[in-house]
Amino acid sequence: MDKNLNVLLVDRDENSRSIVKAYLSELEGVGIAAEFSDSESVFNLAAESGKCIVLIDTSENLDKAVNEIKTIKSLNKDAFIIAMSNRSSADIVIKVMRAGAKEFILKPIIKTEFLEILNNTITDINSEENKDSCKIISTFSNKGGIGKTSIAVNLAVELAQMTKEKVALIDLNLQLGDVATFLDLTPPFAMDYIADNINNLDGEELLKTMTRYKNTSLYVIADPLNIDKSKDITAEQIENILAALKKTFSYIVIDIGTNIDSKTIKALDFSDLILLIAIVNLPAIRSTQRCMELFDKLGYNADKIKLVLNRYMGNEDIKTADIEEVVKQKVYWKIPNNYLIMMSAINKGVPVNEINPDSNVALNYKDFASKISDCLITQKLSKNYNRETRI
Ligand SMILES: Nc1ncnc2c1ncn2[C@@H]1O[C@H](COP(=O)(O)OP(=O)(O)O)[C@@H](O)[C@H]1O
Ligand SMILES: [Mg+2]
């Protein structure tokens, strides 16, 4: 390896710094650039370090550390921040990761764990792609009129507003999708153009072909304007588009639609979370049960599927426990019924929070976006981090 990645180490505890340095010395491709006992002095160096790793201890004052992580991230977007702490709760981990840390290491540091996380980090940084950092969420049901598009659109808007990170929203209802209408967009390019050209579009160019929603970090790929074009789009092209988007976006939200074909299955396979949407009536619940059977056949882990009840009123004849028993899946989230606001949003071509941010549905979508983002963070951690039982 011709060039080492610089590591900036911030830890008040000298003993802990020595341990980290000793472990780092066993790794190839990294070298300690500087160590600090307090974080103020790290900012200047972090700002000019380009691609680097910042190991920062957050044990003493979590709120202060969270702000410091945000500052480092704003000064250097290529800094790969790893937070360390002698405490571990889901709350702490989520706070530091939301601030911009990519990994979390629990103290006392276990050598094998430390080396594994650092090795993965070095590979990620060097491969430029950082594959794990983009999460794909899709809305699915084999019935129409359930709320899939409403949920995909409002969730994508909330995720973009909450995280300020880039969110892609894709309409996979390749014949007569609604996403562009729900956001009142007239995309100059749609899925057919992007599919045909995906092998020639680099990150910046791909972004230019997508349609940005107002001044937000949300970018849309709409269904083809001409229905005939949709049949020419292949599952392989969908895979290539998702792979390309993963390099630029933090979240991809896909409105999958009701069709089950090789394209939608490709998108479902790629999804980290599938929001299986149901409403509380017998036919919808039966369909949901069938979707679960399909997911079982496709070999999906139960954890990937989140059952969402839309248009929930709370006074239904069918109880949540009955649904859970039939569908064999816990209800993950309930979205209240509010036809007036939802229709008004659709007719005006805006998300519900632009109609009334204090309405029950707008507030519910906001909480839903937080819950999903937290869930994805903990999902990633339990994959990388085998002491999750301590979180
Ligand atoms: N939470 C809700 N409360 C009331 N009506 C809703 C809610 N969510 C969606 N709807 C309505 O349900 C209808 C279908 O929604 P849509 O998102 O187009 O479903 P799908 O994409 O599954 O066909 C729309 O008229 C929409 O206004
Ligand atoms: Mg729809």
Side-chain angles (χ1 to χ4, degrees):
M1 181 135 331
D2 52 341
K3 192 170 178 298
N4 274 349
L5 265 172
N6 281 334
V7 178
L8 314 185
L9 173 60
V10 187
D11 195 330
R12 194 172 287 278
D13 179 353
E14 196 181 339
N15 190 31
S16 166
R17 290 204 305 274
S18 308
I19 292 170
V20 168
K21 282 189 292 180
Y23 293 166
L24 280 170
S25 70
E26 296 191 18
L27 285 165
E28 273 185 31
V30 285
I32 278 275
E35 56 179 295
F36 306 91
S37 59
D38 70 280
S39 49
E40 271 78 53
S41 17
V42 79
F43 295 144
N44 283 342
L45 191 58
E48 40 189 61
S49 287
K51 269 186 197 174
C52 65
I53 297 173
V54 180
L55 272 161
I56 179 165
D57 181 55
T58 63
S59 308
E60 221 159 282
N61 183 339
L62 180 66
D63 289 337
K64 185 166 171 267
V66 161
N67 284 330
E68 286 158 1
I69 292 172
K70 284 185 188 159
T71 308
I72 294 169
K73 203 68 207 160
S74 70
L75 291 169
N76 179 355
K77 68 175 177 34
D78 293 327
F80 195 108
I81 302 171
I82 302 178
M84 304 181 287
S85 176
N86 57 13
R87 287 174 299 147
S88 170
S89 73
D91 266 6
I92 295 177
V93 176
I94 285 166
K95 260 190 174 169
V96 297
M97 305 277 283
R98 277 250 180 96
K102 293 273 198 228
E103 288 290 352
F104 179 86
I105 294 178
L106 182 60
K107 286 177 159 184
I109 296 172
I110 294 176
K111 184 176 175 185
T112 49
E113 198 172 279
F114 180 87
L115 295 181
E116 189 186 332
I117 290 178
L118 265 289
N119 265 324
N120 289 343
T121 302
I122 296 163
T123 311
D124 272 356
I125 296 176
N126 287 334
S127 73
E128 302 260 346
E129 286 189 18
N130 195 8
K131 292 187 191 75
D132 255 358
S133 67
C134 176
K135 295 295 172 190
I136 304 184
I137 304 147
S138 48
T139 57
F140 182 77
S141 151
N142 57 358
K143 267 194 165 317
I146 293 278
K148 294 179 295 294
T149 307
S150 305
I151 294 171
V153 165
N154 285 287
L155 198 61
V157 168
E158 286 299 343
L159 279 172
Q161 274 172 6
M162 182 183 83
T163 63
K164 307 279 182 282
E165 292 179 34
K166 284 206 179 71
V167 178
L169 171 60
I170 302 177
D171 198 340
L172 261 200
N173 299 263
L174 293 176
Q175 301 187 335
L176 298 176
D178 290 320
V179 168
T181 315
F182 274 44
L183 290 174
D184 192 24
L185 301 171
T186 18
F189 303 102
M191 183 61 98
D192 48 334
Y193 176 86
I194 295 174
D196 280 346
N197 294 286
I198 190 63
N199 294 332
N200 304 318
L201 295 170
D202 70 15
E204 272 304 305
E205 286 161 354
L206 178 58
L207 213 56
K208 281 188 205 146
T209 62
M210 298 172 75
T211 313
R212 189 170 179 186
Y213 179 63
K214 295 186 176 165
N215 226 0
T216 68
S217 55
L218 174 65
Y219 293 78
V220 173
I221 300 182
D223 60 311
L225 209 55
N226 180 344
I227 297 183
D228 288 343
K229 299 259 170 149
S230 63
K231 63 177 187 327
D232 301 331
I233 298 170
T234 65
E236 193 189 342
Q237 286 173 326
I238 299 292
E239 179 168 353
N240 292 343
I241 291 173
L242 292 176
L245 291 172
K246 282 189 106 176
K247 292 183 195 162
T248 309
F249 286 87
S250 299
Y251 297 92
I252 302 172
V253 179
I254 313 177
D255 180 9
I256 297 245
T258 44
N259 256 355
I260 299 282
D261 58 23
S262 58
K263 292 171 244 188
T264 47
I265 291 181
K266 188 64 83 181
L268 289 168
D269 282 349
F270 263 75
S271 297
D272 296 283
L273 284 186
I274 299 171
L275 306 177
L276 177 56
I277 319 295
I279 52 176
V280 186
N281 69 39
L282 215 50
I285 291 165
R286 289 234 169 89
S287 304
T288 311
Q289 194 186 12
R290 276 189 214 119
C291 292
M292 285 300 293
E293 286 164 13
L294 169 75
F295 293 153
D296 194 38
K297 279 199 197 112
L298 290 170
Y300 295 162
N301 188 331
D303 209 34
K304 165 167 166 166
I305 297 147
K306 305 291 177 200
L307 178 59
V308 177
L309 298 184
N310 192 29
R311 309 193 62 169
Y312 188 75
M313 293 194 279
N315 59 356
E316 287 89 348
D317 290 337
I318 309 172
K319 299 287 162 247
T320 304
D322 301 334
I323 301 171
E324 291 177 335
E325 201 182 317
V326 174
V327 178
K328 297 197 180 59
Q329 181 80 1
K330 285 266 168 230
V331 171
Y332 182 74
W333 194 257
K334 293 170 181 166
I335 300 172
N337 188 57
N338 193 333
Y339 189 71
L340 277 183
I341 297 254
M342 293 306 299
M343 265 333 278
S344 168
I346 293 172
N347 288 333
K348 291 201 169 76
V350 294
V352 282
N353 70 13
E354 285 185 39
I355 298 289
N356 179 356
D358 298 321
S359 60
N360 60 351
V361 266
L363 293 171
N364 181 281
Y365 273 124
K366 210 181 179 122
D367 292 343
F368 192 21
S370 298
K371 175 151 173 158
I372 284 186
S373 141
D374 293 354
C375 165
L376 290 167
I377 288 173
T378 35
Q379 210 182 50
K380 170 182 154 56
L381 278 170
S382 44
K383 225 188 279 163
N384 290 2
Y385 179 64
N386 42 24
R387 278 197 288 170
E388 80 266 35
T389 43
R390 294 173 65 176
I391 292 174

